[in-house]
Amino acid sequence: MSPTEQFSAKSRMSLRDVLAQRLIEQLTPDQTPALDETDFWERPDPIAWIEQNFYLYDTGRLITLHERQRWPLERALSRDAQGRLNYSLVVWSWPKKSAKSSIIAAVVLYILCNKRRASIKLVANDLKQADSRVGYYLREAIKLNPTLREQFKITPSGYRVENLANGAVCEMLPIDPAGEAGGNDDLIVLSELWAWKTAAQQKMYTEMALSP
């Protein structure tokens, strides 16, 4: 099958089919080269770092992860012996008011602070939705952290957060498949994915696939 035929077939796939394909690919042994040793092994433990640096917007205190949050988060961020992430796709699905958005914002902040020139996208149906949870909690955590607040630049709109110390950037985006084609991101957060049913939403999901 030619590349054109492959793209045509992929564009006709439902979001459920794409998710299923991603999960199958994830179960296939990864043959990509390991990370540069100096890039990964010097990074702090994600769980410990989050509990030492991520402030909750409503209490102004550092987050303390519950055991039922800690275990799946450790699993989601685990790496193999070569330093590669074991999972490229994580579905974080919890009941309401279980701090889902806060935990995701904490992971975003961890990557922004510990990966040079990282690129992170928070995507939802519109900018308001993309910013209303994870983006807001991320900005508040930065403002509440006396160590980190000076090294971050937040645009007046709040839709772009940049770590001036290492060049890492997080952006909040609406559904725009054409505008986001060809990205090279380190983390993509898709909000309320269960409601992504339109052709534009499904195409956006395909375009936002992480590079190998």
Side-chain angles (χ1 to χ4, degrees):
M1 182 180 293
S2 68
T4 301
E5 292 171 331
Q6 290 177 353
F7 176 81
S8 178
K10 194 172 185 179
S11 66
R12 293 194 299 268
M13 295 173 68
S14 69
L15 183 57
R16 181 179 297 177
D17 292 335
V18 175
L19 278 169
Q21 182 178 355
R22 292 277 182 83
L23 289 171
I24 292 172
E25 291 172 351
Q26 199 159 276
L27 294 174
T28 304
D30 187 2
Q31 301 300 322
T32 57
L35 295 174
D36 177 19
E37 187 171 330
T38 59
D39 187 41
F40 165 65
W41 299 113
E42 293 179 0
R43 295 182 200 171
D45 172 72
I47 307 302
W49 190 95
I50 285 171
E51 292 192 318
Q52 293 167 7
N53 291 277
F54 187 83
Y55 285 80
L56 294 167
Y57 79 100
D58 51 353
T59 66
R61 299 179 180 178
L62 289 168
I63 191 172
T64 299
L65 296 170
H66 189 278
E67 180 183 355
R68 290 190 177 92
Q69 297 168 324
R70 180 186 298 270
W71 183 86
L73 192 56
E74 288 176 341
R75 181 82 175 182
L77 300 176
S78 65
R79 294 178 181 268
D80 62 19
Q82 286 72 44
R84 294 182 293 247
L85 286 166
N86 287 312
Y87 303 96
S88 60
L89 173 65
V90 176
V91 180
W92 194 270
S93 179
W94 281 63
K96 288 185 177 181
K97 305 304 178 182
S98 58
K100 296 188 299 293
S101 297
S102 293
I103 291 174
I104 295 169
V107 172
V108 171
L109 184 60
Y110 170 78
I111 296 174
L112 285 174
C113 290
N114 293 285
K115 189 175 191 307
R116 294 185 297 273
R117 306 195 66 80
S119 174
I120 300 174
K121 302 286 176 58
L122 310 181
V123 187
N125 282 311
D126 53 44
L127 277 174
K128 181 179 179 181
Q129 188 181 60
D131 179 65
S132 64
R133 295 290 187 271
V134 178
Y136 174 72
Y137 299 161
L138 170 66
R139 291 194 304 274
E140 291 303 301
I142 292 171
K143 294 174 184 177
L144 289 167
N145 190 309
T147 303
L148 298 180
R149 65 170 69 122
E150 298 302 323
Q151 73 184 55
F152 275 87
K153 177 183 178 181
I154 301 174
T155 59
S157 67
Y159 296 149
R160 190 176 191 274
V161 177
E162 180 181 3
N163 186 344
L164 300 176
N166 66 6
V169 174
C170 176
E171 296 178 286
M172 293 108 217
L173 302 172
I175 299 293
D176 181 16
E180 294 308 314
N184 186 27
D185 303 300
D186 298 282
L187 174 66
I188 299 172
V189 177
L190 307 176
S191 297
E192 306 296 341
L193 190 60
W194 62 271
W196 287 34
K197 299 177 181 179
T198 68
Q201 290 167 333
Q202 294 185 21
K203 186 175 181 182
M204 184 71 170
Y205 181 88
T206 302
E207 293 293 351
M208 296 302 291
L210 291 171
S211 300

